[in-house]
Amino acid sequence: MTLWLIIRRSLRQHALSTFITALSIALATGLLMSVWTIKVQSNNAFTSVNCGFDAVLGARGSKLQLVLNSIFHLEESPGNIAWEHYETIKKNPNIQAAIPIAVGDNYHGYRLVGTTTNLFSDVEYVPGRKFTVRSGGRIFDQEYREAVVGSYVAEQLGLKYGDKFQPYHGLIFNENDQHAETYVVVGIMEPSNTPADRVIWIPLAGLQKMSGHTAASADQLSAVLIKFKAGSPLIGRQLEQMYNKQGDKLTFAWPIAMIVAQLFNKIAWFDRVLAAVAVLVAVVAAGSVLASIYNSMNERRRDIAILRALGARKGTIFSAVVLEAASIGAIGAVAGLAVYGVITLAAAQVIRAQTGVVLDATAFNPMMIGAPLGLIVLSALCGVVPALKAYRTNVADNLVPVS
């Protein structure tokens, strides 16, 4: 009988314990891979997403809040700024694009952002790609109550060309706060995999002068999104000095990637907790391999003695037990890919729904090799203890006929 036949027979004889143990290995493998992948991809995705802008100018306050509100459309606005500030920075010769935005309303929980058509004509959200609308649609006319709907919003709310809707006041949906104005959908954006997909874009004046807003908001902005001209390496530092250190009314959030990275640094402890839980599950799973095989050693003594009597060497018996443990680890590691897929796809859906940022669950990560291999090796090591017990099995004592 070959070594692999011995292993296969043993796995079949202990099918239930093999299945349960492999399941725990699968859970550990999937958790390790998904925790690491989600952490790395989230960090990379959020720090690389800037919708084509280098900086944000807004009211005095937190840079992170300003970026989250203006780029990711998540936080509340730290306050409004006067129209004159937009005019001033727009005239800076080192500024390629300055896009004013105003926020404060929603439609069924999705944020309305007032802006100008320059967002679609002057900005590349990634090099070579501008925000565009799908075939048959167009950009809104700034003189009318028209809207361009982000692809994710259109998908979730079922909005299509010609549909009409009435916005709601505030950033949180409340059916009692409906505005009187009616907007018509004239464009649906092509997916950009950026937070812009979760936004309904309307003319700037439309949001500023929405019924129920204060008269002062008619000439105020929530922020100005800024793109530097190429070849202006010092402009960011100069504007930061002017607004943040010399001035006391405005905040200049730059560079965006570094500001977002600060957010991940603040919640790094959460990543470590998840990683610790995943490692703990891996240790418990490996321990279950050891316990499962070790506890079956008593009932295997006679089989082992017979194998020895038929000529099997002690080393062969030892190797068979270790390889059996490694096989359970391998079965679990392969099944762990399915667990990884389920966890990562679910997490990617949640992150896209909440932020508009898209994670690629199929993207390669070194942990996708390291975690399965590590669990297989750990399982094999856990098989050493019961293998030693099998190695020391006394042939003569265990071949005595059972009365």
Side-chain angles (χ1 to χ4, degrees), residues 216-336:
S217 65
D219 59 353
Q220 290 183 334
L221 301 170
S222 297
V224 182
L225 309 178
I226 297 166
K227 175 70 177 175
F228 302 148
K229 280 185 179 176
S232 304
L234 299 179
I235 184 62
R237 196 164 300 282
Q238 291 171 354
L239 292 175
E240 183 185 38
Q241 180 77 16
M242 182 173 77
Y243 287 113
N244 296 345
K245 298 180 179 177
Q246 298 175 355
D248 59 359
K249 295 181 179 178
L250 302 177
T251 293
F252 185 73
W254 171 86
I256 292 175
M258 187 177 294
I259 294 169
V260 176
Q262 292 172 359
L263 172 64
F264 281 89
N265 291 336
K266 289 180 180 178
I267 61 173
W269 62 270
F270 184 67
D271 292 333
R272 289 193 288 272
V273 169
L274 288 180
V277 170
V279 170
L280 185 61
V281 172
V283 171
V284 172
S288 70
V289 174
L290 190 157
S292 172
I293 298 178
Y294 190 87
N295 290 336
S296 67
M297 279 297 107
N298 284 336
E299 63 187 71
R300 296 187 189 193
R301 284 180 177 177
R302 188 172 179 79
D303 293 339
I304 293 171
I306 292 173
L307 287 173
R308 290 290 314 283
L310 291 174
R313 297 179 178 177
K314 283 187 173 182
T316 303
I317 301 299
F318 180 89
S319 301
V321 176
V322 172
L323 287 175
E324 181 182 338
S327 298
I328 294 173
I331 294 170
V334 172

